[in-house]
Structures are given as structure tokens and as C-alpha cells.
Amino acid sequence: MSYWEDSCRRAAELRNQERVRILALETSCDETAAAVIENGRKILSDVVFSQIDLHELYGGVVPEIASRAHMEACDRVVDQALREAGMTLPEVDALAVTKGPGLVGALLTGVNCMKGLAFAAGKPLIGVNHIEGHVSANYLTSPELEPPFLCLVVSGGHSHLVEVRDYGEYLLLGQTADDAAGEAFDKAARALGLPYPGGPRIDNLAEEGNPEAFTLPSPKTEGRYDYSFSGLKTAFINLVHGMEQRGEPLPKADLAASFRRAVCRELVEKAGLLIREHPEKARRGMALAGGVSANRELRRMAQQMCDRLGVKLYMPQIRLCTDNGAMIGSAAYYELMKGRISGLELNAEPALRLVRE
Ligand code: KG4
Ligand code: ZN
């Protein structure tokens, strides 16, 4: 029997199996991460090896360095995830890997690693959409959460408002016309001379500052639920450069707090507008997802908004907001339950979108 035939047969059996444990690998950007997840909900292990030290020197992720570092770390991280779960490769039921979106070289490293393991061990392989992974981080944190619900996905590459209609079924309701929220945070941080990745640094600094110290423009967008952060980012950078040129000391904490407030206000206002205009879509609640959902101000403001509108808010625990293997293992389980597995022709899809076209 060929690998593919055997894989299809095993995947069909797994759909009726009580306990399904998936080994998942994530290498789309600058974290090499692996995890073992049971039934899409329970974390048996979760190992994240961050490359931040390697890229900090350059002020951002260097794709070639990322691919090489993933290659060196993959085996180790996978071994550690198995060990921490108290399992061996033959004992896991299926393997999963991020297929996109992300850096092509980084993705290919993970895809090839898992293809090799899946073939060698004769296990079904599931290629996972990274953004779907971020959404699924909520299933690991909130056992009661089930679709349909609304989700604000905010990461380094995406700012999406989506309706999660079912597991693996999404309707895109709003998106950014230019920069993603995380990207805007990173660029604003750079203007303040903070090291990469800037989002968490701005967040920390902002806790000490006055969010009303500076007024930044409200973005204009065409779509009612769309975002735009490039104008806000440029206004901020101009503000900082102006102060520098005038030789004024930079009140960094106030600047960080004002910028964070402006970005979060925009994120939360559009989400609130969507809920008010389509309350039926938020009946089961609203979730946050992606690296920026670790932002403290965003979490506070989203909670206040949801409390006001009487909607339940779901948020991944902080460590599951940024890239990790656990979220990939969760998304993979629901793909597997729908019979969506990949063959050995699985390839990296750097520009993969959340909504299937
Ligand atoms: O989801 P993620 O780990 O990777 C992508 O899929 O892009 O998101 C990374 C992004 C970076 O832009 C980072 O600066 C931002 O999330 N980020 C934050 C915070 N933690 C991470 N932005 C604002 N506040 C934070 N606490
Ligand atoms: Zn991510």
C-alpha cells in the first residue's frame, strides 16, 4: 500500500478514535516550536525555541538566518516535545506542520522535516494555516469555546476581523488596507530606538506612560470593518523625528502609551461596531488571536467593550498569543476530523490566506 493510501486509511480510523494525539511543528517566522496536543484541546507538551537573539542585531527577522536556525533546531525541538509528552514518535497518531503564510525558506524547513517524519513513521500529515493556528489557540485556553464566534486576529502580518463559522470555516469581514497592527507596533518601537520585536517593548514602556499625552489621527478606511495603520504609524514617526530635530528629550513612555492607545482604540472600535451591527454573529462571543493579542491595553479595552455590549470575550493565555506549536496541533485536529490531510506533495505556501478561495 502506498504512503498516501495508508495515510487516508489511518486518518479515517482516527476520526472515530477516542484519543488522538498530534505532534505539531511551527517554523513560519522566527520561532521553532513543537508540541503534542490531545484532541485539539489538551497540551501534553509545548516547546518554543525563539530566535530573537539571532535577529535582534539586525532590527528584524533575516529570512536566511531564520531558515538556517530552524534547520538546526527542528530535530531538537521535536525530540523535546515528544520527551516532555512522555511519548515516542510511533505513539503519536498524526503529524502537523505550518504550511503558510510566512517566510518561504522558514516554512520549507518545517514542511520538509515533517514530511520526512510522516513518511518514515507512516503517519498522516496535516498542513496547517498559521492564522488558523492563532485562532485555535483559543480552543486550548477555553475548553467551552466552540464556533460560531467572531475573532479579531492581530499579528505581525495580519489584522483581520473574521467570523469563525465552524472549525476550519472562516468568513473575512474586515482586514487591514496596509500595515498589520504588529508591524505598526514594531515600526513605532524602532522610531523610539527600542530593539526588535518592538510590540512587547512598547507595551511594557506604555504601562508607565500617559496615553492621553499625544493626540494621533484616527485612521480612515473604505470598508466599515477594515483597518489602516500606516497613517497612524507615519504620524507617530513624524512626531518623534520632529522632537528629535528640535533637540527635545523624548518622553518615551508617554509616546509609547499614546501610540498603543491609538492602535488599540482603532482595533476595539471596529470590532465593537461589527458586534453592534451584527449581534447575531457574536452570540457565542468574540475572541482575540495573534501576537498583538498579548497586548495588555488591547486585552483591557476589548474586555471593557465586550462587557458593555454583553458579549463573552475569549483570549488565549499570553504565552499562546505569539507563535507556538500547540496552536498548530489544535487546528490540525479539527482539519483531521474533517478528513483534510496532506500528501507528500505538501509545499510551503508563503502567501496562504485564511479564507479558502
Ligand atoms: O503572531 P506573531 O507571533 O507572529 C506572526 O504571525 O506575525 O506576532 C508577532 C507580532 C510582532 O509584530 C510583535 O511585535 C507583536 O506581535 N506583539 C505585540 C505584543 N507581543 C507581540 N504587540 C503589541 N503588544 C504586545 N504585548
Ligand atoms: Zn504568528
Side-chain angles (χ1 to χ4, degrees):
M1 203 186 292
S2 71
Y3 165 77
W4 176 243
E5 286 165 346
D6 188 43
S7 223
C8 290
R9 185 183 55 78
R10 281 175 187 248
E13 283 168 11
L14 290 176
R15 290 169 76 178
N16 302 312
Q17 190 172 303
E18 204 175 309
R19 201 158 64 132
V20 176
R21 290 171 298 184
I22 297 179
L23 169 66
L25 178 65
E26 151 64 39
T27 66
S28 68
C29 191
D30 59 349
E31 258 98 31
T32 319
V36 180
I37 301 300
E38 185 174 301
N39 292 353
R41 297 278 177 167
K42 188 171 168 200
I43 301 176
L44 302 184
S45 67
D46 178 23
V47 179
V48 180
F49 171 71
S50 170
Q51 302 179 2
I52 285 177
D53 299 355
L54 298 178
H55 302 287
E56 196 175 330
L57 183 64
Y58 306 96
V61 180
V62 184
E64 278 305 313
I65 295 179
S67 313
R68 185 169 292 270
H70 283 308
M71 221 154 73
E72 284 166 7
C74 269
D75 286 355
R76 217 163 3 102
V77 169
V78 164
D79 278 351
Q80 195 179 333
L82 284 170
R83 211 167 42 245
E84 287 184 11
M87 297 183 76
T88 59
L89 184 59
E91 286 169 337
V92 300
D93 298 297
L95 304 184
V97 65
T98 307
K99 63 180 175 184
L103 301 169
V104 66
L107 289 165
L108 273 173
T109 315
V111 165
N112 285 325
C113 170
M114 287 317 241
K115 278 208 280 197
L117 286 183
F119 182 69
K123 305 281 179 191
L125 177 66
I126 303 136
V128 175
N129 182 315
H130 180 82
I131 314 171
E132 189 164 358
H134 276 304
V135 175
S136 305
N138 283 290
Y139 300 139
L140 296 165
T141 303
S142 305
E144 73 282 16
L145 176 64
E146 285 188 36
F149 58 91
L150 287 177
C151 189
L152 171 64
V153 187
V154 271
S155 69
H158 300 87
S159 302
H160 285 345
L161 267 171
V162 298
E163 182 181 0
V164 184
R165 308 189 96 176
D166 191 0
Y167 293 108
E169 307 295 335
Y170 306 89
L171 187 65
L172 188 60
L173 301 171
Q175 60 185 322
T176 180
D178 39 63
D179 291 5
E183 204 178 342
F185 272 117
D186 293 341
K187 288 179 182 162
R190 195 187 286 203
L192 292 180
L194 302 172
Y196 161 86
R201 318 251 183 187
I202 291 241
D203 195 15
N204 288 339
L205 199 55
E207 291 290 302
E208 316 292 320
N210 171 12
E212 307 297 340
F214 298 95
T215 308
L216 291 160
S218 287
K220 304 262 176 302
T221 56
E222 263 180 39
R224 288 181 79 65
Y225 313 127
D226 284 343
Y227 291 113
S228 164
F229 294 108
S230 90
L232 197 56
K233 173 198 70 185
T234 308
F236 182 78
I237 292 173
N238 288 343
L239 176 67
V240 172
H241 286 174
M243 292 175 131
E244 281 172 340
Q245 274 162 6
R246 291 192 296 276
E248 296 170 17
L250 289 181
K252 288 192 182 179
D254 287 349
L255 284 163
S258 302
F259 184 76
R260 181 178 72 165
R261 172 67 59 86
V263 172
C264 294
R265 188 189 294 131
E266 176 67 4
L267 289 171
V268 170
E269 269 181 11
K270 292 283 167 65
L273 181 67
L274 175 58
I275 295 176
R276 283 199 306 279
E277 293 186 345
H278 296 278
E280 76 288 352
K281 292 188 192 291
R283 253 196 341 263
R284 291 228 193 141
M286 149 117 207
L288 304 182
V292 181
S293 63
N295 189 278
R296 278 167 279 184
E297 178 89 334
L298 178 62
R299 293 169 85 94
R300 287 192 290 260
M301 288 175 76
Q303 190 66 65
Q304 282 166 6
M305 181 268 287
C306 284
D307 288 349
R308 222 171 24 244
L309 298 178
V311 165
K312 173 116 176 75
L313 177 69
Y314 296 92
M315 301 182 269
Q317 70 187 94
I318 300 278
R319 74 179 302 262
L320 294 176
C321 290
T322 44
D323 293 349
N324 61 83
M327 68 187 200
I328 302 301
S330 172
Y333 173 77
Y334 293 104
E335 287 291 284
L336 179 66
M337 289 304 117
K338 295 203 161 193
R340 296 181 187 142
I341 59 167
S342 307
L344 294 175
E345 71 288 350
L346 179 68
N347 203 352
E349 293 182 60
L352 184 65
R353 295 174 59 84
L354 182 62
V355 179
R356 288 164 226 268
E357 269 138 90

